[in-house]
Amino acid sequence: MTLLLTNARIFDGMNEECAEGMSVLIDGSHIREVSEKEIRAADAQLIDVGGKTLMPGLIDLHTHAYTADVDLTQLEKVGTPYNALHAGRMLRHGLHCGFTTMRDIGGGDWSLAKALKDKIIEGPRFFYAGKILSMTGGHGDFRDMHDSEHEFGACSCSVVGTMSVIADGIDECIKAAREELRRGAHCIKIMGSGGVTSPLDPIWMNQYRDDEIRAIVRECEERRTYVSSHCHPASGVRRSVEAGVRVIEHGTLMDAETAAFVAGKGAYVVPTLAIIFALMEGGSAMGISPVVMDKLKVAHKSAIEGLDHMRSANVKLGLGTDLLGELYDQQCREFTLRREVFEPIEILRQATSMGAEILMHEGRLGCVKPDAFADLIVVDGDPLKDIGLLSQNGERLDLIIRDGEIIKNRL
Ligand code: ZN
Ligand code: ZN
């Protein structure tokens, strides 16, 4: 199918100056031509954008499609079909918010990717990391103290875990990484520090030794991909980046010195404000334990300050949300939460061109140019002036195109 969009004001994912009166020709799943001149395409479906802002579809780099419950220790109990149906619900919601690409950075797998590809469910372009590698007692080990090995919860030294796999020591780490890469993982995610939602590990704790991290990094380099590391404390961020990790998730307890170090190494950070704020507001009512709520307060207190440090140091940032369970519908809040620290143009770049760079898809995603995937949205209004237009669950989007296919059209 060919599609011709006319009279568009284009934000290209990078430049604050938007060209007006533009035409975009889409052929199949790709953009073929972007021009200020009239494009002739006799058999194309015509859509007049009416001078509104056409921009690349949004990219959420930190999602977990299979987490049907905010309490991750419940994931095994509700069962695989329940988690999969939640995934369908949240992926569809995300797409209709304008997120034409999501990276599932823990849990998501080939099976879900196939369901999307075969159009059993409607959703965004889908990159998945497979199961997260965690050390015993680390953030991916959701057993409680009384649980013994291989018996309970999201930990999966056996085969049952939804989110993570336990691997200790260089050999196990290499094998676990190879296993996920074999299953088509886009990258390998590791738990590089303590986290909020796990019951036993302190949030300030650094996890994995540097030789274990290096071994995983090496496996990923052989596969021409990268390691992403969950890290809250600055010390954990430093250790991960020193060992060759390319992308840091969260980075909430970042200090100025570490931010400068990360920027100097050219590593990326994907902050996730949406989950922190959503859980702070609703966590207790949803039955989140006091231990977890206490850890959350630590992250909440420093998150904005951490972002300030990263902005000052010019760290390359992507957009992430990390929403769990019924909180999935707060995905668009990330835009308004980031307003505290960033200008709209910075947030827009994070959600488009920088997302594409982190995914190693520059020129194919997060831009509006020939040969890029036709993943596009039209905003009713100017998101460069009012980023809040993107935070209304797709209300202000007149057109959503993913992979050349019209998902929504109000024009
Ligand atoms: Zn186990
Ligand atoms: Zn996460």
Side-chain angles (χ1 to χ4, degrees):
M1 191 180 83
T2 47
L3 224 130
L4 180 59
L5 312 179
T6 59
N7 193 18
R9 171 180 186 262
I10 296 183
F11 167 64
D12 65 4
M14 190 62 83
N15 296 302
E16 205 157 5
E17 270 72 54
C18 298
E20 299 192 10
M22 301 292 286
S23 295
V24 177
L25 182 66
I26 295 164
D27 186 10
S29 57
H30 287 74
I31 296 172
R32 182 189 280 174
E33 197 179 340
V34 180
S35 177
E36 54 191 14
K37 298 197 193 94
E38 193 183 327
I39 298 175
R40 293 194 178 277
D43 52 354
Q45 181 184 342
L46 205 69
I47 297 177
D48 183 352
V49 176
K52 292 177 178 176
T53 307
L54 174 78
M55 59 173 281
L58 307 167
I59 300 174
D60 187 339
L61 291 170
H62 195 125
T63 62
H64 302 285
Y66 280 138
T67 53
D69 201 297
V70 284
D71 179 355
L72 298 183
T73 63
Q74 298 302 304
L75 294 184
E76 311 302 320
K77 291 180 190 167
V78 298
T80 302
Y82 192 93
N83 285 316
L85 287 164
H86 167 76
R89 172 175 73 167
M90 74 97 77
L91 289 166
R92 182 173 192 282
H93 178 265
L95 179 59
H96 284 264
C97 290
F99 290 99
T100 52
T101 296
M102 286 194 212
R103 186 183 62 159
D104 186 312
I105 200 68
D109 61 7
W110 56 272
S111 180
L112 191 52
K114 181 170 164 56
L116 285 160
K117 185 166 157 276
D118 295 346
K119 300 191 171 140
I120 290 176
I121 53 171
E122 186 184 58
R125 198 175 291 283
F126 189 67
F127 295 82
Y128 61 91
K131 287 177 188 173
I132 308 165
L133 277 54
S134 167
M135 56 177 244
T136 294
H139 179 45
D141 186 342
F142 287 93
R143 289 171 296 177
D144 211 335
M145 247 179 259
H146 58 265
D147 296 311
S148 53
E149 213 175 342
H150 296 290
E151 273 180 355
F152 177 81
C155 130
S156 115
C157 4
S158 56
V159 290
V160 294
T162 305
M163 288 287 281
S164 46
V165 60
I166 305 298
D168 295 295
I170 291 173
D171 289 350
E172 278 184 27
C173 285
I174 289 173
K175 185 160 189 213
R178 286 177 182 168
E179 195 57 54
E180 295 313 315
L181 291 167
R182 177 182 78 82
R183 293 178 184 145
H186 157 71
C187 63
I188 294 295
K189 163 91 174 286
I190 66 168
M191 295 305 196
S193 89
V196 170
T197 47
S198 44
L200 297 181
D201 57 327
I203 191 167
W204 42 258
M205 176 193 181
N206 297 336
Q207 298 182 357
Y208 274 130
R209 299 185 322 229
D210 54 353
D211 55 351
E212 291 169 312
I213 300 174
R214 274 180 216 283
I216 299 164
V217 167
R218 176 121 191 252
E219 287 309 307
C220 285
E221 282 172 356
E222 297 291 2
R223 196 73 179 221
R224 298 189 186 169
T225 185
Y226 63 93
V227 175
S228 131
S229 178
H230 157 107
C231 287
H232 289 291
S235 55
V237 171
R238 179 176 281 269
R239 172 189 289 186
S240 280
V241 172
E242 271 173 350
V245 166
R246 179 170 173 266
V247 183
I248 297 292
E249 308 298 320
H250 314 300
T252 36
L253 310 180
M254 189 76 79
D255 56 28
E257 196 191 339
T258 310
F261 172 77
V262 171
K265 288 282 184 189
Y268 304 84
V269 179
V270 179
T272 56
L273 296 182
I275 184 62
I276 295 169
F277 284 77
L279 265 186
M280 271 301 281
E281 292 157 12
S284 296
M286 287 186 294
I288 297 293
S289 75
V291 177
V292 169
M293 288 306 288
D294 281 347
K295 293 207 276 184
L296 184 65
K297 282 176 200 151
V298 177
H300 179 257
K301 196 162 155 270
S302 307
I304 295 291
E305 200 187 317
L307 274 189
D308 264 325
H309 291 312
M310 291 189 268
R311 183 176 193 248
S312 304
N314 251 324
V315 176
K316 295 186 280 187
L317 301 174
L319 184 129
T321 54
D322 201 14
L323 292 163
L324 310 171
E326 61 199 275
L327 301 173
Y328 76 95
D329 63 355
Q330 299 193 34
Q331 195 171 14
C332 294
R333 275 187 81 188
E334 191 68 29
F335 292 99
T336 33
L337 290 167
R338 288 189 184 209
R339 261 194 319 218
E340 288 276 309
V341 179
F342 298 103
E343 297 296 326
I345 180 67
E346 296 172 292
I347 304 171
L348 286 167
R349 284 178 189 140
Q350 291 162 8
T352 56
S353 51
M354 193 52 75
E357 190 176 322
I358 291 173
L359 290 167
M360 305 193 299
H361 273 62
E362 301 109 301
R364 282 179 283 173
L365 294 174
C367 59
V368 184
K369 54 176 148 187
D371 297 329
F373 285 114
D375 290 4
L376 300 162
I377 58 175
V378 168
V379 187
D380 176 21
D382 186 359
L384 289 127
K385 290 209 174 74
D386 180 9
I387 196 71
L389 294 169
L390 297 180
S391 71
Q392 297 171 38
N393 293 332
E395 262 322 281
R396 303 299 297 271
L397 303 184
D398 283 343
L399 182 68
I400 300 172
I401 297 173
R402 198 226 46 192
D403 208 36
E405 189 187 330
I406 297 171
I407 304 296
K408 173 186 180 182
N409 182 8
R410 237 171 25 192
L411 291 168

